Amino acid sequence: MISIKNVNQFYGGTQILWDLNLDIKPGSCTCIMGRNGVGKTTLLKCIMGLLPVSSGEILLQGEPLQKKKAEYRAPAGIGYVPQGRDIFPLLTVEENLKVGLPVRKDGAKEIPEKIFELFPVLKEMLQRRGGDLSGGQQQQLAIGRALVLEPKVLILDEPNEGIQPNIVKQIGDVILKLNKEEGLTVILIEQKLGFARRVGEEFRLMERGRVVASDRMDNLSEELIRQYLAV
Amino acid sequence: ADTIKVGVLHSLSGTMAISETTLKDTVLMMVEEQNKKGGLLGKQLEAVVVDPASNWPLFAEKTRELMTKDQVDVIFGCWTSVSRKSALPVLEELNGLMFYPVQYEGEESSKNVFYTGAAPNQQAIPAVDYLMNDLGVKRWVLAGTDYVYPRTTNKILEAYLKAKGVAAEDIMINYTPFGHSDWQSIVSDIKSFGSAGKKTAVVSTINGDANVPFYKELGNQGISSEDIPVVAFSVGEEELSGLDTKPLVGHLAAWNYFQSVESDANDAFISQWKAFTGNPDRVTNDPMEATYIGFKMWTQAVEKAGTTDVDAVEQAMIGQETENLTGGMAYMNKNHHLSKPVLIGEIQDDGQFEVVWETEGVVPGDAWSDFLPGSKDLIADWTAPISCGNYNTVTKTCSGQNY
Amino acid sequence: MSSLLSNFMSFSRINGDSKVAPFVVVLLVVTALASSCNLLMPEDSVFYVSTYTITLLGKYLCYAMLALAVDVIWGYCGILSLGHGAFFALGGYAMGMYLMRQIGDRGVYGNPELPDFMVFLNWSELPWFWQGMDQFWVAMLMVLLVPGLLAYLFGWLAFRSRVTGVYLSIMTQALTYALLLSFFRNEMGFGGNNGLTDFKDILGFDLQSDNTRVTLFIITALMLSGLLVLSKKIMQTRFGKVIVAIRDGESRARFIGYRTENYKVWLFVYSAMIAGIAGALYVPQVGIINPGEFSPINSIEIVIWVAVGGRGTLVGAIIGAILVNYAKTKFTAIMPDGWLFALGAMFVLVTLYLPKGLMGLVAQLKDRQLQNVNNRPNDKAEEGHA
Amino acid sequence: MRYINAICACLLGLLISTSVLAASPSEAQQPLLLELTEVKLNKALPVLQQLETTEGADMLALFKTMLNGDLYYEKETRRLIAALKEQSVTRYSDLFSGEVLSDLSKKQVRKIKVNNKLRGYLGEAIARMQLNHPDSAVRKDAVRSLFSDLGSNTITLIRDARLKEQSRSVQEAMDVALALYRARHAEEATDRLQAIKDLEGSLEPEVRNQLTQLAENDPSRSVRKAAQTGLDKIDQQAEMYGFINQLFFGLSLGSVLLLAAIGLAITFGVMGVINMAHGEMIMLGAYTTYVVQLMLPNMIEYSLWIAVPLAFMVSGLAGILIERLVIRHLHGRPLETLLATFGISLILQQMVRTVFSPLNRQVATPDWMSGSIEINPLLSLTLNRLYIVAFALLVFMILLIVLKKTSLGLNVRAVSQNRDMAKAMGIRTDRVDAMTFGLGSGIAGIAGVALSQLTNVGPNLGQAYIIDSFMVVVFGGVGNLWGTLVAAFTLGVANKFIEPVTGAVLASILVLVFIILFIQKRPKGLFPQKGRAAE
Amino acid sequence: MSILDTTREVMRRDQVWPFLQDHSQDVDISHQVLLYVEGLNLSFDGFKALNDLNLYINDGELRCLIGANGAGKTTLMDVITGKTRCDSGTVYFGQSLNLLEKDEAEIAQLGIGRKFQKPTVFEAHTVMDNLELSLKSNKSVIPTLLATLNSEEYDRIDHVLETIGLKAERMMLAGSLSHGQKQWLEIGMLLMANPRLLLVDEPVAGMTVQEGERTAELLTSLAGERTVVVVEHDMEFVRSIARTVTVLHQGSVLAEGTMDEIQNNQDVIEVYLGEAP
Ligand SMILES: Nc1ncnc2c1ncn2[C@@H]1O[C@H](COP(=O)(O)OP(=O)(O)OP(=O)(O)O)[C@@H](O)[C@H]1O
Ligand SMILES: Nc1ncnc2c1ncn2[C@@H]1O[C@H](COP(=O)(O)OP(=O)(O)OP(=O)(O)O)[C@@H](O)[C@H]1O
Ligand SMILES: [Mg+2]
Ligand SMILES: [Mg+2]
C-alpha cells in the first residue's frame, strides 16, 4: 500500500531520517514503535507532505507521492490523526468534521452518521469549539475528522495519549473494526505494548531514524523490546 | 561653476505632494524658458530637485544638502509654514536665498527669504471687506484647520471684524484636524448658525484635502452660495480640478491671481504651461504665479547685481518690479513681501473662477499684522539703516535676533 | 563549564550570533574619523567631511537608537509597539522646550520669557509645564521621565489587564495618534503644527557652529554605543532570559512564578527612555520638533528598520535604521519622483528574501562557512516566533 | 432660499420648452435688455428689477438662464442667447425665439456674468413668478423661498395666489408667509397675537427668527409672552430633531468606518495578515470609479453601478496578485506581513501618483445621490449618506453570508488556525488564501467606490483610512465580523455626540483615549474570542 | 465612609500599613491538610465543568486523580493555579492562604508547581536555560536582573539534567526536542522549582512503558517531602504509584479510595475503566 524507499530527512542541518525503508501491506494494521525522538512523527509528516524529504521515494499504491503537494494527499486517500491532535481550536466540533467533506468522493454534504456511531460524545458536543474540548474528546474528534475523508489508509500518531481506559479500548475496537471489517489500512504509532499487541498485525521498530526491525506482531520478542524500547 | 544652480525644495511625495508637485514643475518650466533665452549672466541654469517628502525635519536637511552639497545659488520651495520654519534656520546659518510662493500667516520676515505669496492683509482682509460691503454679510463663520495659518488669520479677522462693530455672538470660530473628512455636524452647525435671519458667510482657511469633503457636504445639505457663501483662501484652480464643481458655483476665493483673468501675459503663461506639461487640461493657480514672479524678479536681480552672491542679490531684489500675470506690476518691498492686487472670484461650473471684485491698485504685503497686539508696532525693513526683519517702531529697536 | 560561559553560549544560540563589541568599535572609529575629518581637514580636501554629512550621520544614529529601543521590546519580548515614535517625540519635545527657553529674548518678538508662538497666541505667562525647562538638568530629567512615566502608565494599564498581541500594538498606535492630535492643538502650548524650532544654542554653545554639531554627533555615537552595550548586557542576565521566555510563553513564565507584567512594564519603560534620549539628541541636530514625529506612520517605519536589520539582534536594528535612512536619503536625491518605488520594493524584497533581516543573512553565511569547515551539521532550529 | 437649488434642478428640464414658448420682448423691455449686456456687474441689479416689473414678455426664461450662468449675448448684435452645455460641446439658441444658432462660435459670444447678489435676487424673482406654476411642489418651494424676503409686493402676490390655491400643503406654506408678514408688520397687538397663533406648528427657521424678535422687542407684553411660548415649543422640537440628526450623523460616520474596515476584518481579522496596503485597495476602488466616469462620461447616473463590480474586480485582482507574489511566502510570519505590505502600499501610492498625477481626481456624484430628503425644516437627511449607510449594511450582510454559508468561510478559518492540518485535510490552502485575500481586497475596493462620493480621490486616500480601520477591527475584536459592525457604529456615534461639545479635534482624541481605556477592560475587544484556544 | 475615617483607618497605630506588611506568609499545615478545595463550581457557557467539587489533599501525600476525559481534572488544576477563575467555592493552601485571591505568579511563588497536559517549555531557550529559569529564587525584577548561577545551583541543574536524561541535549533549543523529551524537560522544570505541591497532568503520555516506570519512581521518591497530585489515564502507571486515588466525574468526586477499591467500584468501571481489567 505504502512503501518508503531510502528516505532522508533533515531539520536544518540535523538529519533525522536516515535511508529509511518501510513497507505497509494493504489491509494491514502496522504499529511503528521506538523510543522518544527516534523520528516516528517525522516519518508520518513526511508521508503527509508536511515536511519535505531531501531524498528517497514514497509510494502510495505504487504511485509516487512526493511530487504531490500536501493538500492532494488527503484526496489520494490518506487520513491523518496527528500527535497532539491538532484540532482547529476555534471551529466547532461540527465545523471541524465538515472541513473534510469536500474531499469525499460521494460529495456528501452532511457528516456521515457512522462517525457519531463510533464516537457518540461528538454528537453531544457538536456545537462546542474544538479547542474547548478535553484532551480525550479532542482525540476522538481527530479520529472522526480523519474518517470523514473516507481514507484508504489511516495514519494515527499516538492516538491513546491521554485517553481514559474505556475509550482507549473503544478506540482499539474502532481501529480493529475499520481494519478488519472495512479493510482499511492502518498505520499506528504506539508506545503502549499492550495496545499495540491487541490491534497491530505487524510492527516496525525504529531507532535513530532507521527501521531496525519489522515483522509480524506475534514475533515481537522481549529481546527486541529490551533493545529498542527500553531505556 | 559653469552653471547657476536653482534648488527646488518641494514635496513630491506624502501629503503635500498634491499641491507642491505643480510648483516643482513650474520652476522647471521657468528654468527651461530662461535657458532658451540664453541663461543668466551668460551661464545656463541648472535645476536641482530634491524631495523632502512632506516631512518637516527633512526640509531642513534637504536645504542643507542643497546649499552645501549641491551649492545652489537660490532655492524655490516650501509650501506649509512649518516646512518654511524648518528650513529657515539653515538658510540663515548658511546665508542662502529662498523664494516662498504661498499665502501664509505673516509674522515673519527673514533676510534670506522672499515671500511672494499673499500675507493676510493681501487676502483675508480684502475678502472680508468685500463680503461685508458688497454682500452685506452680518454673521461670520471662521472655519479653519487647526494650525498656525488659520489661527493667525482668524485672529486677525476676529480683531478686524470686532473693530468693524460685529458682535461676538455673530462670529463662530471652528477648528478641525488635518484631513478632516466628516463634516456633517459642522456643516449642520453652520446651517443653523446661518438661519438666524442675518446674512451669513463662511471664511474658510480649511486646508488641503479637507476641502473636498467639506464642499461636498455643503452641497448635499443644500447650502448654496446664495444662502451662505464660502470664501476660501486655500482653494484654487488646482484644488477645484479634483472636485465636481457643480454644487459649488458661486462660492468665493480670494487670491492675487486667477487663471481666468484675461491678459496677454497670462494667456502666454497658460499656454506655455500646458505645452510644458503636455496636458491641455492642466490649470494654473496663484502659487504658480507667485513662483513665476519670484523667479522673474530673481533673474532681474541677478542681472542687476551681476552676480548670484546672496547678499548682493538680496539688496538688488528690493524694489524690483515685474509684470503680474493679471496685469499691473508686482513690486518687491523692503520687507521682502510683494505689492500685488487682490482679486475675489466666484467658482464657476467649469472649475474656474470668475473675478467679481478686485482692489483698486496693488496692496503691499504686510509682514507684521496691524491687528495683532504683539506685532502691530513691528515692521520689517531690509534696507539700511534699519536692516531688520522685526523692527519695533515704538522702542526703535530691532527686537530679538539680529541677522 | 563555567556558568558565565554557559550564559553567553545560551544567549548566542537564542538570538543569532550578533557581536556587539566589534560593532561598537567600528561605530566609534567611524565617529572619530568623521569628526576629525570635519574639524581638522580643510574644506577643499578630499578627506573633508561636510557638516551636512555630520548632521546626517547624527540623525541616523538617533534613529538607530530609536530602533534599538524598539528591538529591545519587540525582538526580545515580542511586544510590537507601533507607537514608539511617541516616546521619541516626547523626549524631543523636552529637549526642544529647553532649547526654546534658551532663545530668551532673541526671538522675533523679543520677549525674554515667552517663546514666540506664545506671544503670537497672546499668552501672558508660561504655562506650568514650561516652568523650569530653562534649566538643563530639569530638561534632561524630563527627557527620561516623561517618556518613562507615560510608558509606565500605559504599560501598567495594558500589561496588567493582559492586553497582548495586535491589541497592544494597535493601542500603542492609538496612543501616538492621540498625542499627535493633541500636540497639533495650539491650546496645548507646544506650538501646534509648527512645533518648536529656530533654536539658538545649547548650554551656551552655538548650535550652528561646527564644533557643537560634531560634539553632538560624538555624544550621540557614545550614547548609542553605551545603550547598545547596556541593552546587550541586560539581555544576557537572567532578566533577559525571562524576557525572552515571556515572549515565547508568557503564561508558562507566570506559572513558574514570574510576575510577567512587571517585567514587561520595566522593559517598556527602559525602551521608552532610550527612545526619549534618542529624541532629545535628535532635536538639536535637526533643528525642529513638531507633532509630525507622533504620526503613526513614523512609528511603523521604525519597526520596519528593525525588521530590515533583523529583529532580536540589537546590532541588526541599528544597522537596519542606518541603512534604510541612508537609502531614503540617497533615493530621494537620485530619483525624487520614484524613490517610493525603490523603498517599497526594498521592503518587500527584504521580507521575502531575508526573513531574518540582514543579521539573518550574516548568520546564514557564517553558518554555511562553519558547515563547510567543520562539516558538522549545525543546529539552526530557530523558529520564527511571532 | 436653500430651496432654490431644488427649483433649479427641476427647472432645468423645463428650460428649453419655456424658452421656446416665450414671446418676444416689448418696446419697454428692449432698452433694458440691451443695457443688461453693457452694464457693470455691480450695477446690474436695478436693471433686472426693472425687467421684472416692466410689462411685456415673460422674463422667467431670461432669469432662469441667467441664474444657471448660461446667459450669453452675441457680441455684434447684442442679441441675448442661451447656451446649452452638453459635455464638451456648447450649443447656442436665441433666448426668446428658441431658434438654434448653430453657426455661432465661442469667439462671437460673451457671457453675461452673475454674482451671488444677483443670484439671490434672481432666485427670489423666479420664485415670485412661479407662484402660479402648475406643479404644486414647485409652488410650495417658491413660497418657502420667499419667507426671508416678504416685501409688500411679494405679499400681494402671495395673497392673490392664496385665493386660487388648491393644494393643501401649498396653502399652509402660504398661510405661514402671510402670518409671518402680519407678525412683522401688523399694528395691533391682537393681530400679532393672532399671527403668532397661526404660526404655531411651523418649524421654519424664519418663523423662529420672527418669534425671537417678537419675544425680545415687541412692545406688548402678551405678544412677547406668546412668542416666547411658541419659541419654547419650537426649541423643544429642535432639540429632539437635533438628537435624531446627530444619531444619523453618527450612523453615517459609522457606516463609513464599517466600509473602510470590513475588508480589513477579513485580511487581518480572519487571515491574520497585518495588511498595511488595505488603504491602497480602497484607493484603487476609488480610482476605478474615476476611470469609469472618465470612460463613460454620458453615464454618470449609472457609473456607480458599473464601478462597484469593477472595483471589486480591480482591487480583488490586485489583492490576489499581492497574495500570490508576496504574502504566500510569509505564512507563519504574520509580523513580516506588516513590513511587506507597507512596502506594497508605498509602491501603490507612488504608482497612482505616476499614472494619475499627484492631484486629486474629480468624481461626480450622480443626481440620485445628491441633495437630501427633507423630513421637516429642522431635519433633513442627506441622500448620499443614506445610501452609504444602506450600502454598508448590504455589503456586511453579503460578506457574512459568504463567510458563514459557503465552504470558503470554513476553509479560511481552518487554514488560519492550523495551516498544516488544513493541508492534511485536503484543503487547497493556496487557493483559499488567494481567494480570501482577494475577497478582502475586493470589499475594500467597493468601499473605495463609496468613499469616492464623500471625499478626495487622491493618492493619500488610503492613508486617511488605514489607522481608523485597524482601530475598528481591533476594537470590535479580531476575527469577529459582528464586532467590526458594532465597533464601527459605536465609534461613529460616540464621535458625533462628543463633537458638538468639544469640537472635532478633541472629539477624535477622546474617542482614541476611550478605545485605549476600553481595551484595558476588555483586552480582546468588544466581542472577544472565547474559550481555551483563544489564550 | 468619610475621608477622615478612611485616614484614621489607614493610620491605625496598632497595625502596619498593608503595603509594608510581610507577605511571605508560610503555609500553615497544622491540620496536616495542604490543600482544601470546597464547593467548587465552574461553568462555561452553561456547561458545568466543575460541579460542587470537594477535595482535600494531605501534606506529603501522593494522590492520583483519574476520571473520564472531560471530567474536569485539568480545569481543577487551572483553578488551583489561578489560570481560571471559578464561579463559586473556596480553595485554601494550608489553613490560611486563600488561593482564589492570588494570581498565577503568586501561587507559583507559594510553592505550587505545575506540569501541563500538553508540554509547554520555552522553545527558544536551551534546555539548560529552561531549567535555570525555573530555579527557585527571588523572582521579582531587580533580583532577577542581578542574578547569576552559583555553583550550588549549577550542580543542581546538572543533577536534574541527569534525572531527566537530557544531559546530552542541554544546549539544544527546547523547541527542537521531541514530544517525549519535552515532557521530561517539563518535569525537570518542576524539580528545579522545588515546590511544596506538584500538580502533574498526564506525565507519561507519549512515553514508553519503561520511561513511564522511571517517572513513577521519580514521583514516588518526591512524595513525602512534597505533596504530589498526579492526573493520569495509564492504569498501569497509576497502580504503580498510587496510594489514594480520587475519581472525578462530570465535575465532582465520584469515588475515592485505594487503587483496589476504585478498580472494583461499579460506578468507576462503568464510566471510566470499562469492564474490569
Ligand atoms: N522542528 C524541529 N527542529 C529540529 N529538530 C526537530 C524538530 N522537530 C523534531 N526534531 C527532532 O527530531 C527528532 C525526531 O522527532 P520526532 O518528533 O519525529 O520524534 P518521535 O519519534 O515522534 O518522538 P516522540 O515519541 O517523543 O513523539 C527528535 O530528536 C527531535 O529533537
Ligand atoms: N475555556 C473553556 N471553555 C469551554 N469549555 C471548557 C473550557 N475549559 C474546559 N472546558 C470544558 O470543561 C470540561 C472539562 O475539561 P478538562 O480539560 O478539565 O477535562 P479533563 O478532565 O482534564 O480531561 P482529559 O483527561 O481529557 O484531559 C470539558 O468538557 C471541556 O470541554
Ligand atoms: Mg512523536
Ligand atoms: Mg486534562
Side-chain angles (χ1 to χ4, degrees), chain A residues 201-205 213-220 224:
Chain A
E201 294 166 20
E202 303 258 331
F203 74 88
R204 305 284 181 271
L205 284 177
S214 49
D215 206 336
R216 296 192 55 78
M217 190 57 86
D218 313 336
N219 302 335
L220 178 60
L224 284 171

Side-chain angles (χ1 to χ4, degrees), chain B residues 13 51 56-58 61-62 64-65 68-69 82 85 93 107 146 148 151-152 155 390 399-401, chain C residues 52 56 59 105-109 120-122 185-187 194 197 208 213 288 290 293 332 339:
Chain B
S13 54
D51 178 14
W56 317 138
L58 221 49
E61 183 183 316
K62 292 286 166 189
R64 193 176 288 278
E65 180 182 334
T68 57
K69 252 184 76 194
V82 53
K85 292 263 185 223
E93 178 191 338
E107 304 297 297
D146 191 9
V148 182
R151 287 248 171 207
T152 318
K155 261 176 78 164
N390 35 316
S399 65
Q401 69 221 43
Chain C
Y52 165 70
L56 207 58
K59 189 179 90 169
D105 62 358
R106 286 170 294 174
V108 287
Y109 297 105
F120 190 47
L121 292 172
N122 288 353
R185 284 161 49 86
N186 280 286
E187 286 94 341
N194 277 7
T197 180
Q208 307 198 327
R213 284 182 190 286
I288 183 171
N290 74 50
E293 302 296 341
T332 47
W339 67 275

Side-chain angles (χ1 to χ4, degrees), chain C residues 48-166:
Chain C
Y48 177 69
V49 174
S50 70
T51 313
Y52 165 70
T53 314
I54 293 283
T55 45
L56 207 58
L57 289 177
K59 189 179 90 169
Y60 292 167
L61 293 189
C62 291
Y63 285 154
M65 209 182 292
L66 182 53
L68 180 74
V70 169
D71 197 23
V72 165
I73 53 161
W74 184 36
Y76 288 83
C77 200
I79 302 172
L80 174 59
S81 165
L82 294 179
H84 246 54
F87 304 119
F88 179 78
L90 286 174
Y93 264 98
M95 178 60 112
M97 285 159 84
Y98 164 72
L99 295 174
M100 211 64 190
R101 298 284 276 122
Q102 290 304 293
I103 298 174
D105 62 358
R106 286 170 294 174
V108 287
Y109 297 105
N111 188 319
E113 269 296 303
L114 299 183
D116 283 342
F117 70 86
M118 291 191 192
V119 182
F120 190 47
L121 292 172
N122 288 353
W123 292 25
S124 53
E125 58 181 313
L126 275 182
W128 60 268
F129 47 85
W130 277 78
Q131 303 292 346
M133 291 306 275
D134 50 340
Q135 306 281 323
F136 187 71
W137 65 271
V138 177
M140 289 311 101
L141 209 62
M142 290 301 149
V143 163
L144 290 176
L145 275 188
V146 175
L149 272 177
L150 179 68
Y152 185 80
L153 196 75
F154 182 87
W156 188 74
L157 276 174
F159 298 138
R160 210 187 32 141
S161 339
R162 303 199 179 163
V163 181
T164 50
V166 288

Side-chain angles (χ1 to χ4, degrees), chain D residues 263-487:
Chain D
L264 195 68
I266 299 175
T267 51
F268 171 59
V270 183
M271 283 183 81
V273 176
I274 304 181
N275 185 12
M276 295 304 292
H278 172 71
E280 279 59 42
M281 296 293 123
I282 298 181
M283 177 189 76
L284 286 184
Y287 271 98
T288 308
T289 322
Y290 164 71
V291 173
V292 166
Q293 295 197 347
L294 197 70
M295 301 296 219
L296 306 168
N298 296 322
M299 296 177 67
I300 300 292
E301 294 304 299
Y302 311 101
S303 57
L304 295 189
W305 299 114
I306 306 166
V308 166
L310 218 58
F312 182 81
M313 269 157 53
V314 169
S315 294
L317 284 178
I320 290 176
L321 209 67
I322 292 171
E323 205 283 330
R324 291 284 74 193
L325 294 178
V326 181
I327 311 283
R328 182 162 70 108
H329 304 287
L330 304 177
H331 289 322
R333 299 193 275 146
L335 288 173
E336 267 92 336
T337 57
L338 171 115
L339 207 162
T341 49
F342 188 76
I344 292 170
S345 99
L346 293 185
I347 293 175
L348 285 175
Q349 274 173 47
Q350 194 62 22
M351 204 167 78
V352 296
R353 266 193 206 111
T354 320
V355 176
F356 293 102
S357 101
L359 299 179
N360 285 333
R361 297 288 90 184
Q362 175 181 339
V363 173
T365 308
D367 282 341
W368 52 269
M369 262 188 95
S370 5
S372 42
I373 43 173
E374 194 182 280
I375 293 174
N376 65 40
L378 288 179
L379 181 68
S380 47
L381 307 180
T382 44
L383 274 173
N384 62 347
R385 298 276 178 179
L386 221 48
Y387 281 115
I388 284 173
V389 173
F391 184 66
L393 290 176
L394 184 75
V395 171
F396 178 81
M397 285 330 251
I398 293 177
L399 200 63
L400 206 59
I401 290 169
V402 168
L403 286 188
K404 281 267 140 75
K405 297 283 173 222
T406 66
S407 69
L408 177 69
L410 186 57
N411 290 351
V412 185
R413 286 184 290 151
V415 171
S416 69
Q417 285 168 34
N418 193 331
R419 177 167 300 274
D420 271 356
M421 198 54 223
K423 279 188 193 165
M425 292 301 292
I427 297 178
R428 282 146 77 184
T429 51
D430 285 1
R431 251 192 52 190
V432 170
D433 284 334
M435 301 241 305
T436 321
F437 204 82
L439 178 69
S441 306
I443 299 274
I446 293 185
V449 179
L451 288 180
S452 75
Q453 292 302 311
L454 295 178
T455 182
N456 303 284
V457 178
N460 301 331
L461 173 64
Q463 294 292 302
Y465 286 95
I466 183 79
I467 292 183
D468 285 343
S469 305
F470 270 104
M471 220 68 88
V472 167
V473 174
V474 163
F475 180 54
V478 174
N480 188 318
L481 277 189
W482 284 103
T484 307
L485 178 86
V486 177

Side-chain angles (χ1 to χ4, degrees), chain B residues 125-146:
Chain B
I125 302 240
V128 166
D129 280 339
Y130 167 75
L131 290 174
M132 201 180 301
N133 302 334
D134 284 41
L135 295 186
V137 172
K138 300 244 159 38
R139 244 164 117 80
W140 303 84
V141 180
L142 308 182
T145 302
D146 191 9

Side-chain angles (χ1 to χ4, degrees), chain C residues 5-19:
Chain C
L5 185 63
S6 86
N7 252 338
F8 184 76
M9 287 279 293
S10 64
F11 180 78
S12 59
R13 271 171 182 272
I14 301 167
N15 290 299
D17 209 12
S18 64
K19 296 259 173 358

Side-chain angles (χ1 to χ4, degrees), chain A residues 41 83 157-158:
Chain A
T41 301
Q83 184 165 25
D157 197 346
E158 306 204 19

Side-chain angles (χ1 to χ4, degrees), chain C residues 158 160-168 171, chain D residues 474 518-526 528:
Chain C
R160 210 187 32 141
S161 339
R162 303 199 179 163
V163 181
T164 50
V166 288
Y167 293 91
L168 189 82
M171 286 315 107
Chain D
V474 163
F518 183 87
I519 290 293
Q520 314 304 329
K521 269 261 153 265
R522 276 174 162 258
K524 300 256 181 263
L526 268 173

